[in-house]
Amino acid sequence: MCGRYATTRSAADLSALFESADETGGVAPDYNVAPTDPVPLVRLAPEGHRLLSLGRWGLLPQWSRSAAGAARMINARAETVATSRAYAPSFARRRCLVPADGWYEWVRLADGGRQPYFMTPRDGSVLAFAGIWSVWESAGAARLTFSVLTTAAVGELAEVHDRMPLLLSPERWAEWLGPAEEPAELLAPPDAGLLAGLEIRPVSRAVGDVRNDGPELIAAVAPAGVGTAAGPTLF
């Protein structure tokens, strides 16, 4: 977790929702975001206002020698982000919000297959994953990259996967983006009300192929049988 998600709102909509200036030049809906894909994020400009930017999923620390490891850096664990050599500098100074409609997880089935689920707000509201960003430079070109923070799954979400994105309610957005605070406060578990509003929706196995995209990927389907000793497994 989290290895796939959906973000389908326009740059104009995201700019309004997050009260941010758009520097993306426009974003396309993506129902099947995969590691290293370019997607919108919200960060603070040096002047202090919010920017809607386009970053690639998979943080590259400034000291990285190549971009080859980006796909392995899509998630940062909340338990260690403040002390990790790769993530701590970004956590201290470069935090961001990652807009999403929801995220996918896969549960292993008795027949060896996997049933995907889409975790999304029942009311259609936007989610904000806690993220951290960095700018990686190579051959004179700069690349904005980011990671999504994950935390221990709670409640019904734990039946799908043992990890989940660190979700931030709107009341926590300014705190997350703002000056450094106590890590324990920034990394507090998601609000119970926010979690209660999530739907765990079975969706088509077509989402397992990164080449597939479109609203049909988040449409509800009849779930296949679930339940093995192996427990939930990310596809």
Side-chain angles (χ1 to χ4, degrees):
M1 195 295 102
C2 159
R4 300 279 183 81
Y5 70 96
T7 180
T8 68
R9 288 172 168 83
S10 69
D13 287 345
L14 291 174
S15 294
L17 285 166
F18 289 91
E19 301 178 338
S20 56
D22 178 22
E23 65 171 9
T24 67
V27 295
D30 194 339
Y31 292 86
N32 198 2
V33 178
T36 74
D37 282 352
V39 283
L41 59 85
V42 178
R43 57 183 178 143
L44 285 187
E47 299 79 12
H49 63 274
R50 295 181 187 178
L51 284 176
L52 181 70
S53 305
L54 202 62
R56 289 190 176 271
W57 189 20
L59 186 139
L60 290 169
Q62 294 174 339
W63 43 259
S64 295
R65 294 185 177 181
S66 78
R72 298 191 299 273
M73 303 284 284
I74 59 171
N75 294 155
R77 294 176 67 91
E79 296 87 344
T80 57
V81 68
T83 56
S84 164
R85 175 174 177 253
Y87 298 122
S90 289
F91 174 67
R93 300 185 296 274
R94 298 183 293 272
R95 296 186 294 273
C96 63
L97 305 171
V98 182
D101 298 333
W103 77 98
Y104 300 98
E105 295 293 357
W106 280 256
V107 172
R108 188 180 297 278
L109 304 178
D111 64 3
R114 294 178 174 89
Q115 171 64 55
Y117 286 83
F118 186 57
M119 276 57 68
T120 187
R122 292 187 182 90
D123 63 3
S125 59
V126 69
L127 291 176
F129 299 159
I132 54 177
W133 63 272
S134 182
V135 174
W136 182 72
E137 297 186 10
S138 177
R143 178 186 299 183
L144 177 62
T145 67
F146 73 96
S147 292
V148 170
L149 270 68
T150 68
T151 189
V154 295
E156 293 182 350
L157 294 173
E159 298 177 16
V160 179
H161 199 275
D162 61 352
R163 304 291 294 178
M164 60 177 286
L166 178 56
L167 304 174
L168 300 175
S169 61
E171 295 75 20
R172 296 179 63 187
W173 293 354
E175 177 188 39
W176 181 259
L177 292 173
E181 302 287 348
E182 288 296 323
E185 296 178 7
L186 286 174
L187 299 170
D191 178 79
L194 190 160
L195 295 177
L198 294 177
E199 173 189 358
I200 302 176
R201 179 189 301 170
V203 294
S204 168
R205 295 189 189 186
V207 72
D209 188 333
V210 296
R211 296 169 295 183
N212 294 330
D213 195 6
E216 65 276 6
L217 297 183
I218 64 171
V221 301
V226 177
T228 70
T233 302
L234 180 64
F235 180 84

